[in-house]
Structures are given as C-alpha cells and as structure tokens.
Amino acid sequence: MDNLPKCEANYTPLTPITFLKRAAFAYANRVSVIHESTFFTWSQTYQRCCRLASSLVSLNIAKNNVVSVLAPNIPAMYEMHFAVPMAGAVLNTINTRLDAKNVATILRHSEAKMLFVDYQFVPVAREALGILMAESASTPAVVAIDDINSPTGLRLGVHEYEQLINNGDPNFVALEIEDEWDPIALNYTSGTTSEPKGVVYSHRGAYLSTLSLILGWEMGTEAVYLWSLPMFHCNGWTFTWGVAARGGTNVCTRTTTAFDMYRNIALHKVTHMCCAPIIFNILLDAKPEERREITSPVQILTGGAPPPASLLHKIEQLGFHVTHAYGLTEATGPALVCEWQAKWNRLPIEDQAKIKARQGLSVLTLSDVDVKDADTMVSVPRDGKTIGEIVLKGSSIMKGYLKDEEATAKAFKNGWFFTGDVGVIHPDGYLEIKDRSKDVIISGGENISSVELENVLYNHPRVLEAAVVAMPHPLWGESPCAFIVVKKNPTSGKIDDVTEGEIAGYCRKNLPGYMVPKKVVFMAELPKTSTNKIQKFQLKALATTFVVSDDKTSRLPRQQRPNLPLSRL
C-alpha cells in the first residue's frame, strides 16, 4: 500500500474556493444572493467572482498579498470571500465599527496592497489613509464600492468595484492552491483583553471548519441564510463559504434593525441566521409595527457571551430555534456546538433552556477538546463543577498570529491551543463555559463565576444587560460587583424604580450568600467593543475605586466618580 502514490486525480489541496465552482454547476439557476432589489444566481455569482479575481491579477495583486475590505453585509463583501483567494491573495475583512486610527493600524500591520471601501465608510477610510500618509507609511490602492441598488457616485481612489467586475475575464481560472496550508484570510481580534492580533487562517482550516459547521448545524440544501452576523467577524463564522457549499441563498442586509430582520425573514422565508445574543434583545424589543409573523421556524446559531437561559426561552417563543455555539477568532469561528438530543425534548422548557446555554461538543474538525488544569495539564473531573482552562487542537485552529511569534508560542503549548476561557465538563461530556480566566472572582478562597451570576441577574424581569466583575473587599480579598442596564417599567415607563437592595435580594434567593453582589451599579449602557462584546476591563477599573465598609455595604468615593454613562450610583 505504501507504493500507491499521490497524484492530481486522487489528491488536491483543500480549499473552500471549490464550493463556489460546484455551486455554479450544481445550482446554476438557483438564487445565490439577494440584496433588496438585486438578485444573482450561482452561475452569475461565479462569473462575477472570476471577473473580479481576473481584475485583481491584472492590477498586480500577487500570491499572499493582503487585500482588505471595509464594507457591511453586501454582495461585494460576499463575492470577495471567493474572488480574493481565487487571485491567490489573502482576504482581510475589517470591522466596520472601528475608527480611522484602528483601521490605519490594521492596514499598516497587514501591509495591505489594496483596500475596497463601501461608499458608507469613505470618510473613515479617507481619514485612515491620511494617517498612513502623514506617517510616510505605504498606502494601499483603493477601490470604491458603490450602492448596487441606488448608486451614489461617491468615490475614493482610482477604481470602482463594478468597473472591475465588468472589465474582468468571466473565464478566468482560479490560481492553483499548491499547499492547503497557504493563508486564505487574515482576521484581527477585537482586543477585549489585549491589543488586537492578526489571526491567519489556512485554506485547509477554512475548508474543514466550513464543512463541520454545516454538518453540525444540519444545514440542508436550499437554505435561505440571513446575514445578521457581520461577514467581517471570522468570515461570517465560515458561512460565507458554507452557504455556497449547500447551494443556499444569501440574504444581505446593511443593518440589523428589528424592522430589516423581520422584513427579510418574512419576505424571503429565511431558514437560518447567526448572531450574537445582543440580537435577541433587538428582536424581542421590536415595536409592533416592526414585527412580522414567523410562519416557519428560523434556525439561529448563536455565540459570544453565554446567553442566559431566560433569554433563550423568550426568543424561542417568537418562532426561532436556537443552537448555542462557542468559538473564537483563533478557532476559525465556532469550535463547540450544543448538539441537541431528542430525549431532552421531554424536559420542562426551563431545563431545556439551561442545557441549550451550554457550549456542548467539539465540531468535527477538532481532533480533541478538553478542560485542563493549566499548570499540571491534568484533565478536570467530568462533574460539572471543577473548573479548568478550555484547550483545543485540530485543523480548524489558526496558523498563528501575524508578526507575533511570542503570542503564537504562548497560545500553543504542550500540543494544545489555550483559549483563555475556563469551564467545566458535565458527566455527559458537554462543556460549559464559566468565565474568561481573567474574570473569575476569588472571594475568600471560593471561585465565583461571573457568567453564572450574570445568568441569575438576566432572569430578573427588569434586567436588560448585566456584567459582573471583581471589586476589592477588605476581608475576602475580592467580591462580586454587578453593573446593570434596566428595562423601562412597562406600566410607568420609569427606569429608576429598581433598587440595589431589590437586585441583591433577588440574587440572595437564587444564589449562595458568597456569590451575592456586594455592589450594584446602574448604568445607561455598558461599555462595549466594536463587535458588541462588553469591555469588562473598563468595569474592572471602575470597580477598583469602590470601597466596602465594615457594615458590608459599599460606596464610591465622591472624588473618584468616573466619567462613564452612569444613570445613578
């Protein structure tokens, strides 16, 4: 058997580019992309991608050059996920919520050769390019992307997107991927706990991660996928490539307002969507005139901060069916999925919601996942109680951090990728995240999970958002401090009728005494990153200014009151 060689017929490097070519032949006349009044078929999308890749090559974009794009969920953004790697280049999708300084930092660090800019973000891009020029740094060639439905004529740079499409060769043959370990995408982390890092994906990792997610989520053919998750976020958790693999339909939308999401769901009979839990609140808080009846279940894959069980229950009552996942940029998006078991359907709704809040089992492309003591590398018991750090290994893990050997070496230790998240393993093998390792509160020797406390707070009928961090305590070392955004009173419309004592009392009824927050701070809004993740480091800095007195109540020194959007203290 060792004498049977590899050849072109039996071995080709894995790449998600092949999904598009197959879709063009297998689903040629099926609708591929919808954006308001614009409709494309898979045959047309394939031709447009070939044309764009041809134009990129003609503009001297070479192998492993970085091509950046600053755009919302529009057809051009989708097409670039295929066209850029077809030209041999590396796609860098930039978070559209970043300011000019951060955009300039990414362009400088990535050494982008070309920047595609949607008309909506021309001012930010122009300022970012100005920053680079002021530093005498090299600047990328710029391509403007106008509104495909109602062109504005707004331009930046010499080139325009549709002109590149029209001038390109529809018969262009994608450059051959010689090594599946070649880079396909460069994504920058959101920097919730540190400076953003450039995460490099391989063609192999992107291909396998895509397959594992469409299998794990049981996405069938003819799926209609609503782009409520930004494509800039881990390449849309690989569903940019996954929808093509299933011959589905991409419904693109510039915004994630309740009106636009409900409208598109009803109009196009959406079957699937991905989102962070914050989208649940947008859908739940929609005004009557913004809502549309959901006539068939919409499958939602959600990730990010663990959603409270109460929130999952509420969103499913609207007609959505939620699957919870866990992932991170370094894992090419979701790495764990809460695979549902039929026997759980017989459980009470509240118990089902608690199970759905778990992160679950590893996707198929991970060779292993575990929860370990980070110092001894011993696996924790499967008791659902003992915490350790979540570690992963497999082909869907990143190649490493661009230009950062030290951070790469720190992430890869003892044959594992260290996530920085702590969790437990239940007796049935399902994982549940308890916290970021830096967010665990150690009070009098007891480990307190901020996530567990947040879940209880979210069950309070008046709590809209909650974040728990450690604050100093003279006796216990640390104690929990809760920051809360409250909902308006449905009767009076007030927000200031919820008291600190009421929240603490509610927690006391549902938690052990040592877990009850010693301080509750009401805020108009919680500080968030550009990807809507709560910036706990800001809250931690604020909590360090609090003082716990002998009578176990806390106060904030008047002279140290922060300049944050607090509604009251």
Side-chain angles (χ1 to χ4, degrees), residues 276-308:
I278 191 171
I279 297 296
F280 294 174
N281 284 331
I282 294 175
L283 293 167
L284 287 166
D285 293 342
K287 298 173 182 176
E289 61 270 21
E290 295 173 328
R291 294 176 183 260
R292 297 287 185 90
E293 184 182 359
I294 297 176
T295 56
S296 57
V298 178
Q299 304 293 326
I300 290 185
L301 185 65
T302 189

mmCIF file of all heavy atoms in Angstrom, residues 276-308:
data_model
loop_
_atom_site.group_PDB
_atom_site.id
_atom_site.type_symbol
_atom_site.label_atom_id
_atom_site.label_comp_id
_atom_site.label_asym_id
_atom_site.label_seq_id
_atom_site.Cartn_x
_atom_site.Cartn_y
_atom_site.Cartn_z
ATOM 1 N N ALA A 276 -24.929 37.217 17.556
ATOM 2 C CA ALA A 276 -24.567 37.287 18.962
ATOM 3 C C ALA A 276 -25.853 37.462 19.777
ATOM 4 O O ALA A 276 -26.877 37.917 19.241
ATOM 5 C CB ALA A 276 -23.624 38.469 19.199
ATOM 6 N N PRO A 277 -25.839 37.110 21.066
ATOM 7 C CA PRO A 277 -27.055 37.225 21.889
ATOM 8 C C PRO A 277 -27.662 38.619 21.920
ATOM 9 O O PRO A 277 -28.860 38.766 22.178
ATOM 10 C CB PRO A 277 -26.564 36.803 23.277
ATOM 11 C CG PRO A 277 -25.436 35.872 23.014
ATOM 12 C CD PRO A 277 -24.741 36.443 21.799
ATOM 13 N N ILE A 278 -26.876 39.662 21.627
ATOM 14 C CA ILE A 278 -27.421 41.021 21.649
ATOM 15 C C ILE A 278 -28.536 41.193 20.617
ATOM 16 O O ILE A 278 -29.459 41.992 20.785
ATOM 17 C CB ILE A 278 -26.300 42.064 21.412
ATOM 18 C CG1 ILE A 278 -26.814 43.472 21.709
ATOM 19 C CG2 ILE A 278 -25.738 41.966 19.994
ATOM 20 C CD1 ILE A 278 -25.730 44.536 21.706
ATOM 21 N N ILE A 279 -28.478 40.402 19.536
ATOM 22 C CA ILE A 279 -29.527 40.463 18.509
ATOM 23 C C ILE A 279 -30.856 39.976 19.076
ATOM 24 O O ILE A 279 -31.925 40.412 18.649
ATOM 25 C CB ILE A 279 -29.125 39.636 17.272
ATOM 26 C CG1 ILE A 279 -27.864 40.234 16.626
ATOM 27 C CG2 ILE A 279 -30.248 39.574 16.253
ATOM 28 C CD1 ILE A 279 -28.037 41.623 16.061
ATOM 29 N N PHE A 280 -30.798 39.060 20.056
ATOM 30 C CA PHE A 280 -32.036 38.591 20.690
ATOM 31 C C PHE A 280 -32.814 39.766 21.274
ATOM 32 O O PHE A 280 -34.036 39.850 21.134
ATOM 33 C CB PHE A 280 -31.737 37.576 21.801
ATOM 34 C CG PHE A 280 -31.140 36.273 21.337
ATOM 35 C CD1 PHE A 280 -30.710 35.319 22.244
ATOM 36 C CD2 PHE A 280 -31.003 35.983 19.987
ATOM 37 C CE1 PHE A 280 -30.166 34.117 21.827
ATOM 38 C CE2 PHE A 280 -30.456 34.784 19.555
ATOM 39 C CZ PHE A 280 -30.033 33.850 20.485
ATOM 40 N N ASN A 281 -32.088 40.654 21.946
ATOM 41 C CA ASN A 281 -32.753 41.809 22.555
ATOM 42 C C ASN A 281 -33.379 42.713 21.501
ATOM 43 O O ASN A 281 -34.463 43.265 21.705
ATOM 44 C CB ASN A 281 -31.754 42.604 23.403
ATOM 45 C CG ASN A 281 -31.454 41.927 24.734
ATOM 46 O OD1 ASN A 281 -32.296 41.224 25.281
ATOM 47 N ND2 ASN A 281 -30.248 42.117 25.236
ATOM 48 N N ILE A 282 -32.702 42.868 20.371
ATOM 49 C CA ILE A 282 -33.249 43.693 19.285
ATOM 50 C C ILE A 282 -34.558 43.086 18.780
ATOM 51 O O ILE A 282 -35.548 43.794 18.563
ATOM 52 C CB ILE A 282 -32.234 43.826 18.141
ATOM 53 C CG1 ILE A 282 -31.005 44.609 18.621
ATOM 54 C CG2 ILE A 282 -32.859 44.517 16.927
ATOM 55 C CD1 ILE A 282 -29.885 44.684 17.601
ATOM 56 N N LEU A 283 -34.577 41.769 18.594
ATOM 57 C CA LEU A 283 -35.780 41.096 18.107
ATOM 58 C C LEU A 283 -36.894 41.112 19.154
ATOM 59 O O LEU A 283 -38.073 41.311 18.824
ATOM 60 C CB LEU A 283 -35.452 39.654 17.715
ATOM 61 C CG LEU A 283 -34.531 39.483 16.497
ATOM 62 C CD1 LEU A 283 -34.020 38.047 16.398
ATOM 63 C CD2 LEU A 283 -35.254 39.872 15.210
ATOM 64 N N LEU A 284 -36.523 40.910 20.410
ATOM 65 C CA LEU A 284 -37.531 40.871 21.472
ATOM 66 C C LEU A 284 -38.131 42.238 21.759
ATOM 67 O O LEU A 284 -39.309 42.355 22.100
ATOM 68 C CB LEU A 284 -36.906 40.305 22.756
ATOM 69 C CG LEU A 284 -36.612 38.803 22.771
ATOM 70 C CD1 LEU A 284 -35.697 38.443 23.930
ATOM 71 C CD2 LEU A 284 -37.903 38.006 22.853
ATOM 72 N N ASP A 285 -37.319 43.287 21.609
ATOM 73 C CA ASP A 285 -37.785 44.637 21.937
ATOM 74 C C ASP A 285 -38.402 45.361 20.745
ATOM 75 O O ASP A 285 -38.687 46.560 20.823
ATOM 76 C CB ASP A 285 -36.616 45.473 22.484
ATOM 77 C CG ASP A 285 -36.128 44.954 23.830
ATOM 78 O OD1 ASP A 285 -36.888 44.209 24.479
ATOM 79 O OD2 ASP A 285 -34.983 45.268 24.215
ATOM 80 N N ALA A 286 -38.622 44.651 19.647
ATOM 81 C CA ALA A 286 -39.192 45.278 18.449
ATOM 82 C C ALA A 286 -40.593 45.832 18.732
ATOM 83 O O ALA A 286 -41.381 45.227 19.467
ATOM 84 C CB ALA A 286 -39.263 44.266 17.311
ATOM 85 N N LYS A 287 -40.880 46.966 18.134
ATOM 86 C CA LYS A 287 -42.202 47.557 18.252
ATOM 87 C C LYS A 287 -43.194 46.755 17.406
ATOM 88 O O LYS A 287 -42.805 46.086 16.451
ATOM 89 C CB LYS A 287 -42.173 49.012 17.786
ATOM 90 C CG LYS A 287 -41.246 49.891 18.616
ATOM 91 C CD LYS A 287 -41.128 51.287 18.011
ATOM 92 C CE LYS A 287 -40.165 52.147 18.822
ATOM 93 N NZ LYS A 287 -39.965 53.484 18.208
ATOM 94 N N PRO A 288 -44.477 46.812 17.741
ATOM 95 C CA PRO A 288 -45.468 46.025 16.994
ATOM 96 C C PRO A 288 -45.416 46.267 15.489
ATOM 97 O O PRO A 288 -45.553 45.328 14.695
ATOM 98 C CB PRO A 288 -46.802 46.496 17.590
ATOM 99 C CG PRO A 288 -46.457 46.926 18.981
ATOM 100 C CD PRO A 288 -45.073 47.520 18.887
ATOM 101 N N GLU A 289 -45.187 47.521 15.092
ATOM 102 C CA GLU A 289 -45.164 47.822 13.661
ATOM 103 C C GLU A 289 -43.898 47.311 12.963
ATOM 104 O O GLU A 289 -43.822 47.271 11.738
ATOM 105 C CB GLU A 289 -45.293 49.331 13.427
ATOM 106 C CG GLU A 289 -44.187 50.182 14.024
ATOM 107 C CD GLU A 289 -44.468 50.638 15.437
ATOM 108 O OE1 GLU A 289 -45.310 49.998 16.106
ATOM 109 O OE2 GLU A 289 -43.856 51.645 15.864
ATOM 110 N N GLU A 290 -42.878 46.931 13.758
ATOM 111 C CA GLU A 290 -41.642 46.407 13.175
ATOM 112 C C GLU A 290 -41.683 44.890 12.998
ATOM 113 O O GLU A 290 -40.888 44.326 12.247
ATOM 114 C CB GLU A 290 -40.452 46.764 14.074
ATOM 115 C CG GLU A 290 -40.174 48.252 14.184
ATOM 116 C CD GLU A 290 -39.099 48.568 15.201
ATOM 117 O OE1 GLU A 290 -38.991 47.829 16.215
ATOM 118 O OE2 GLU A 290 -38.378 49.549 14.991
ATOM 119 N N ARG A 291 -42.588 44.241 13.675
ATOM 120 C CA ARG A 291 -42.630 42.781 13.677
ATOM 121 C C ARG A 291 -43.360 42.211 12.463
ATOM 122 O O ARG A 291 -44.220 42.857 11.875
ATOM 123 C CB ARG A 291 -43.316 42.260 14.945
ATOM 124 C CG ARG A 291 -42.561 42.550 16.230
ATOM 125 C CD ARG A 291 -43.362 42.084 17.429
ATOM 126 N NE ARG A 291 -42.709 42.403 18.686
ATOM 127 C CZ ARG A 291 -41.994 41.541 19.405
ATOM 128 N NH1 ARG A 291 -41.876 40.300 18.982
ATOM 129 N NH2 ARG A 291 -41.428 41.911 20.536
ATOM 130 N N ARG A 292 -42.983 41.011 12.098
ATOM 131 C CA ARG A 292 -43.695 40.215 11.098
ATOM 132 C C ARG A 292 -43.899 38.821 11.684
ATOM 133 O O ARG A 292 -43.046 38.330 12.434
ATOM 134 C CB ARG A 292 -42.899 40.101 9.796
ATOM 135 C CG ARG A 292 -42.648 41.417 9.075
ATOM 136 C CD ARG A 292 -43.907 41.956 8.409
ATOM 137 N NE ARG A 292 -43.603 43.154 7.634
ATOM 138 C CZ ARG A 292 -43.253 43.162 6.365
ATOM 139 N NH1 ARG A 292 -43.127 42.008 5.708
ATOM 140 N NH2 ARG A 292 -43.002 44.290 5.737
ATOM 141 N N GLU A 293 -44.987 38.193 11.329
ATOM 142 C CA GLU A 293 -45.242 36.849 11.833
ATOM 143 C C GLU A 293 -44.242 35.864 11.243
ATOM 144 O O GLU A 293 -43.961 35.875 10.046
ATOM 145 C CB GLU A 293 -46.663 36.411 11.480
ATOM 146 C CG GLU A 293 -47.029 35.054 12.057
ATOM 147 C CD GLU A 293 -48.428 34.613 11.663
ATOM 148 O OE1 GLU A 293 -49.115 35.384 10.941
ATOM 149 O OE2 GLU A 293 -48.828 33.501 12.058
ATOM 150 N N ILE A 294 -43.679 35.033 12.104
ATOM 151 C CA ILE A 294 -42.751 33.992 11.655
ATOM 152 C C ILE A 294 -43.548 32.712 11.468
ATOM 153 O O ILE A 294 -43.994 32.094 12.436
ATOM 154 C CB ILE A 294 -41.606 33.808 12.678
ATOM 155 C CG1 ILE A 294 -40.797 35.105 12.782
ATOM 156 C CG2 ILE A 294 -40.701 32.644 12.283
ATOM 157 C CD1 ILE A 294 -39.721 35.072 13.824
ATOM 158 N N THR A 295 -43.757 32.341 10.212
ATOM 159 C CA THR A 295 -44.658 31.226 9.900
ATOM 160 C C THR A 295 -43.978 29.864 9.928
ATOM 161 O O THR A 295 -44.640 28.837 10.034
ATOM 162 C CB THR A 295 -45.287 31.440 8.516
ATOM 163 O OG1 THR A 295 -44.234 31.607 7.548
ATOM 164 C CG2 THR A 295 -46.161 32.690 8.510
ATOM 165 N N SER A 296 -42.641 29.838 9.825
ATOM 166 C CA SER A 296 -41.902 28.577 9.935
ATOM 167 C C SER A 296 -40.645 28.847 10.746
ATOM 168 O O SER A 296 -40.101 29.956 10.718
ATOM 169 C CB SER A 296 -41.546 28.013 8.558
ATOM 170 O OG SER A 296 -40.787 28.948 7.814
ATOM 171 N N PRO A 297 -40.168 27.843 11.491
ATOM 172 C CA PRO A 297 -39.046 28.059 12.409
ATOM 173 C C PRO A 297 -37.800 28.608 11.702
ATOM 174 O O PRO A 297 -37.468 28.180 10.587
ATOM 175 C CB PRO A 297 -38.780 26.669 12.982
ATOM 176 C CG PRO A 297 -40.055 25.920 12.795
ATOM 177 C CD PRO A 297 -40.655 26.450 11.525
ATOM 178 N N VAL A 298 -37.139 29.540 12.342
ATOM 179 C CA VAL A 298 -35.868 30.067 11.852
ATOM 180 C C VAL A 298 -34.772 29.540 12.765
ATOM 181 O O VAL A 298 -34.810 29.757 13.981
ATOM 182 C CB VAL A 298 -35.859 31.610 11.858
ATOM 183 C CG1 VAL A 298 -34.506 32.135 11.390
ATOM 184 C CG2 VAL A 298 -36.971 32.153 10.975
ATOM 185 N N GLN A 299 -33.817 28.821 12.184
ATOM 186 C CA GLN A 299 -32.717 28.269 12.961
ATOM 187 C C GLN A 299 -31.697 29.367 13.248
ATOM 188 O O GLN A 299 -31.226 30.040 12.330
ATOM 189 C CB GLN A 299 -32.033 27.135 12.187
ATOM 190 C CG GLN A 299 -32.964 26.012 11.755
ATOM 191 C CD GLN A 299 -33.504 25.226 12.932
ATOM 192 O OE1 GLN A 299 -32.811 25.048 13.940
ATOM 193 N NE2 GLN A 299 -34.733 24.753 12.820
ATOM 194 N N ILE A 300 -31.365 29.543 14.520
ATOM 195 C CA ILE A 300 -30.363 30.538 14.915
ATOM 196 C C ILE A 300 -29.175 29.823 15.548
ATOM 197 O O ILE A 300 -29.333 29.020 16.463
ATOM 198 C CB ILE A 300 -30.921 31.550 15.929
ATOM 199 C CG1 ILE A 300 -31.941 32.485 15.285
ATOM 200 C CG2 ILE A 300 -29.786 32.395 16.511
ATOM 201 C CD1 ILE A 300 -32.436 33.591 16.214
ATOM 202 N N LEU A 301 -27.987 30.126 15.036
ATOM 203 C CA LEU A 301 -26.752 29.687 15.678
ATOM 204 C C LEU A 301 -26.182 30.908 16.378
ATOM 205 O O LEU A 301 -25.913 31.928 15.745
ATOM 206 C CB LEU A 301 -25.758 29.158 14.641
ATOM 207 C CG LEU A 301 -24.459 28.546 15.186
ATOM 208 C CD1 LEU A 301 -24.747 27.281 15.993
ATOM 209 C CD2 LEU A 301 -23.487 28.231 14.053
ATOM 210 N N THR A 302 -26.042 30.829 17.685
ATOM 211 C CA THR A 302 -25.583 31.986 18.448
ATOM 212 C C THR A 302 -24.293 31.667 19.186
ATOM 213 O O THR A 302 -24.020 30.512 19.530
ATOM 214 C CB THR A 302 -26.648 32.467 19.456
ATOM 215 O OG1 THR A 302 -26.252 33.712 20.018
ATOM 216 C CG2 THR A 302 -26.862 31.464 20.576
ATOM 217 N N GLY A 303 -23.496 32.686 19.405
ATOM 218 C CA GLY A 303 -22.237 32.529 20.120
ATOM 219 C C GLY A 303 -21.916 33.808 20.856
ATOM 220 O O GLY A 303 -22.764 34.675 21.014
ATOM 221 N N GLY A 304 -20.673 33.939 21.271
ATOM 222 C CA GLY A 304 -20.303 35.113 22.061
ATOM 223 C C GLY A 304 -20.462 34.800 23.528
ATOM 224 O O GLY A 304 -20.263 33.671 23.968
ATOM 225 N N ALA A 305 -20.848 35.801 24.308
ATOM 226 C CA ALA A 305 -21.068 35.572 25.731
ATOM 227 C C ALA A 305 -22.196 34.566 25.908
ATOM 228 O O ALA A 305 -23.186 34.601 25.174
ATOM 229 C CB ALA A 305 -21.423 36.885 26.420
ATOM 230 N N PRO A 306 -22.063 33.627 26.853
ATOM 231 C CA PRO A 306 -23.114 32.628 27.056
ATOM 232 C C PRO A 306 -24.460 33.293 27.304
ATOM 233 O O PRO A 306 -24.612 34.076 28.245
ATOM 234 C CB PRO A 306 -22.640 31.867 28.298
ATOM 235 C CG PRO A 306 -21.171 32.085 28.344
ATOM 236 C CD PRO A 306 -20.940 33.451 27.792
ATOM 237 N N PRO A 307 -25.466 33.026 26.479
ATOM 238 C CA PRO A 307 -26.765 33.670 26.666
ATOM 239 C C PRO A 307 -27.490 33.092 27.872
ATOM 240 O O PRO A 307 -27.472 31.880 28.086
ATOM 241 C CB PRO A 307 -27.519 33.340 25.373
ATOM 242 C CG PRO A 307 -26.894 32.081 24.886
ATOM 243 C CD PRO A 307 -25.455 32.133 25.307
ATOM 244 N N PRO A 308 -28.124 33.920 28.668
ATOM 245 C CA PRO A 308 -28.891 33.416 29.812
ATOM 246 C C PRO A 308 -30.020 32.501 29.341
ATOM 247 O O PRO A 308 -30.609 32.709 28.278
ATOM 248 C CB PRO A 308 -29.455 34.696 30.449
ATOM 249 C CG PRO A 308 -28.614 35.803 29.921
ATOM 250 C CD PRO A 308 -28.169 35.385 28.563
#
